Amino acid sequence: MTDDPVIEATGLGVRYSRRGGWALRDCSFGLPAHRVCALVGPNGAGKSTLLALAAGLLRPTEGAISAPPREETAYVGQDKPLYPQLTVDETLRMGRELNPGRWDAKSAARIVQEGGLDGGARIRSLSGGQRTRVALALALGKRPRLLLLDEPMADLDPLARHRLMGALMADAAENGTSVVMSSHIVAELEGACDHLLLVDGGRVRLSGPVDDVVAAHRLISGPATALADLAPHTVVESRTTGRLLTALARPNGPLDTDTWQTAHPSLEELLLAHLRSPDAPALAVGPRSAEAVRA
Amino acid sequence: MLEYRIDRRSGMATYLQIVHQTKQALRLGLLEPGDKLPTAREVVEATAINPNTVLKAYRELEREGLVEARRGLGTFVRRSLGGAPADSPLREELADWARRASAAGMERDDVAALFTAVLDQHFKGDDT
């Protein structure tokens, strides 16, 4: 297992029209191979744009992105394009014929069977969740090196979500597939993803292994009068309630434990604090950290 | 076969939950030397957690000499944790103590807090 990036972006920017604003700007990051990366951010942050760039469906306006070639990449967009008049079996046969030499009929069939889908059912008669399952079967059957999923679980019930996530993780375990999945529901990704990319306002705010990014932060509480003590640290967000100060910060050295109580934030607390504070400096953890992010 | 239960809200790192549950199974004799741990694939399919988390947990168990990975075969238990099997005198003493605590009017939470405090005092360095 190597840490070579499967996707690498430098100074990436996208503008959909000459007069429009930038959907993405100044994005530089590397995603290591064989990881499951959570691409998170609020609506309109640029997540789908980033995935479309990685899939080679969109060209950057500026900068560059390197990713595996089309035939080694599977992309499942939010709208999950399938032919409504085909049956499930016909759709899988199409997958086989479009991917000669690399189609994994067994994996594809398993994903469909686990959902209890009837092979003879037409796509148009399926529910949203069932269509998602077929789209994922099509994507996994391709045996991709890189799997890009845009809001894959949005229309699934909790049980179907758990099962499909389990199927995805099993594929990652067995084939070492690199996965990038976007979501604005953090709880859905926590536990399943080991790498994080937070995009907000078209920029990369946080990038790195989930454990390292979380470990770089502390929830701090203490007397409001001691606020000046936090100056050497990178404070992402701070709030004062009466005499109590609470903050989320990246300590740049030891914190005085007589003054401050500290705790490790959850991934969700960490992300929310960053989203509430758009001006907080960006953080990139990893081999490329020095030049990876220009805040 | 051991089945892991992952509690995302426990605050304990996921890989440590796997480490602890494996050790618990070893202590209680539910896992014995020679037994095979579930494969990473089996664990992640059932729990929807990241495969690297399972591998990290297994590496930790291997580092502690409790299991060994056999190439192409899986991960196997090397030795049991014989600390206090389910029917040891220590367990009886603890059960006796719990009865006395209950008789003295202590609540479950009081007992848990007291037990944790004493545990922390005598066992250091098990970071979570």
Side-chain angles (χ1 to χ4, degrees):
Chain A
M1 200 179 273
T2 63
D3 268 9
D4 285 344
V6 64
I7 300 179
E8 201 160 22
T10 32
L12 202 57
V14 170
R15 193 156 58 164
Y16 284 106
S17 72
R18 202 168 282 246
R19 291 165 64 207
W22 290 86
L24 277 182
R25 193 81 201 264
D26 256 345
C27 289
S28 298
F29 61 89
L31 297 186
H34 315 299
R35 302 296 168 89
V36 182
C37 175
L39 175 57
V40 292
N43 292 321
K47 301 187 296 289
S48 298
T49 302
L50 202 54
L51 287 172
L53 284 165
L57 300 173
L58 189 68
R59 283 178 182 284
T61 313
E62 59 178 36
I65 182 165
S66 74
R70 267 258 183 78
E71 62 271 20
E72 294 178 11
T73 303
Y75 166 80
V76 180
Q78 273 180 45
D79 47 357
K80 307 188 179 75
L82 296 167
Y83 293 101
Q85 71 277 21
L86 293 187
T87 64
V88 173
D89 284 343
E90 285 164 352
T91 304
L92 294 186
R93 201 167 75 223
M94 177 186 80
R96 191 183 72 209
E97 275 159 31
L98 288 176
N99 299 283
R102 55 183 310 136
W103 183 250
D104 180 353
K106 230 175 81 192
S107 292
R110 188 165 58 204
I111 301 275
V112 167
Q113 279 157 11
E114 279 167 0
L117 290 182
D118 169 17
R122 294 204 187 277
I123 298 295
R124 86 163 87 81
S125 71
L126 301 181
S127 70
Q130 289 171 325
R131 271 179 226 201
T132 300
R133 198 168 263 281
V134 176
L136 278 175
L138 213 47
L140 287 176
K142 194 175 173 181
R143 267 287 169 88
R145 190 150 72 89
L146 174 64
L147 179 58
L148 302 163
L149 305 169
D150 199 357
E151 302 272 358
M153 311 288 171
D155 47 8
L156 300 183
D157 63 67
L159 179 62
R161 205 174 273 206
H162 186 84
R163 283 205 182 128
L164 265 184
M165 195 65 105
L168 271 176
M169 293 303 112
D171 178 77
E174 201 157 272
N175 302 317
T177 316
S178 305
V179 183
V180 184
M181 57 177 117
S182 73
S183 178
H184 48 251
I185 308 163
V186 179
E188 176 174 302
L189 302 172
E190 200 162 10
C193 297
D194 53 2
H195 201 90
L196 174 72
L197 198 63
L198 170 64
V199 184
D200 183 20
R203 286 169 197 266
V204 175
R205 303 274 315 274
L206 291 170
S207 151
V210 173
D211 291 348
D212 295 352
V213 172
V214 171
H217 295 82
R218 290 288 183 286
L219 280 170
I220 301 172
S221 59
T225 47
L227 178 61
D229 290 2
L230 291 180
H233 309 290
T234 307
V235 177
V236 174
E237 181 190 46
S238 75
R239 265 182 298 191
T240 313
T241 318
R243 263 169 281 180
L244 181 73
L245 173 83
T246 53
L248 185 115
R250 287 172 215 147
N252 300 314
L255 278 156
D256 181 2
T257 48
D258 291 338
T259 316
W260 304 105
Q261 281 195 303
T262 65
H264 290 277
S266 70
L267 181 60
E268 187 159 20
E269 287 170 320
L270 179 76
L271 292 172
L272 288 175
H274 278 84
L275 292 175
R276 281 191 298 254
S277 321
D279 297 326
L283 172 73
V285 189
R288 300 180 70 252
S289 56
E291 81 279 10
V293 167
R294 270 163 269 148
Chain B
M1 182 74 78
L2 189 58
E3 261 185 52
Y4 296 108
R5 209 190 120 262
I6 305 301
D7 180 0
R8 279 157 216 253
R9 286 190 192 79
S10 73
M12 186 194 282
T14 309
Y15 88 94
L16 281 174
Q17 295 187 37
I18 295 176
V19 169
H20 284 216
Q21 285 171 32
T22 310
K23 286 185 178 173
Q24 192 70 4
L26 288 169
R27 282 192 194 98
L28 296 175
L30 301 172
L31 273 181
E32 290 176 354
D35 284 355
K36 187 173 184 260
L37 295 185
T39 64
R41 193 205 143 92
E42 286 164 342
V43 176
V44 303
E45 191 154 34
T47 58
I49 62 167
N50 187 286
N52 293 319
T53 307
V54 183
L55 298 176
K56 187 175 176 184
Y58 283 9
R59 275 200 304 275
E60 175 63 24
L61 290 164
E62 196 169 6
R63 201 183 59 76
E64 295 182 28
L66 296 171
V67 305
E68 66 181 336
R70 291 186 207 146
R71 210 162 229 277
L73 293 174
T75 305
F76 294 84
V77 176
R78 273 188 65 190
R79 64 179 177 86
S80 57
L81 276 171
D87 54 354
S88 82
L90 280 170
R91 189 193 164 107
E92 276 167 37
E93 285 171 37
L94 189 60
D96 185 46
W97 178 85
R99 272 190 294 275
R100 277 186 282 139
S102 170
M106 284 177 77
E107 303 267 337
R108 188 196 168 92
D109 287 349
D110 302 331
V111 172
L114 184 58
F115 185 74
T116 309
V118 175
L119 207 59
D120 287 346
Q121 202 182 339
H122 290 273
F123 297 90
K124 295 218 165 79
D126 197 12
D127 60 308
T128 47

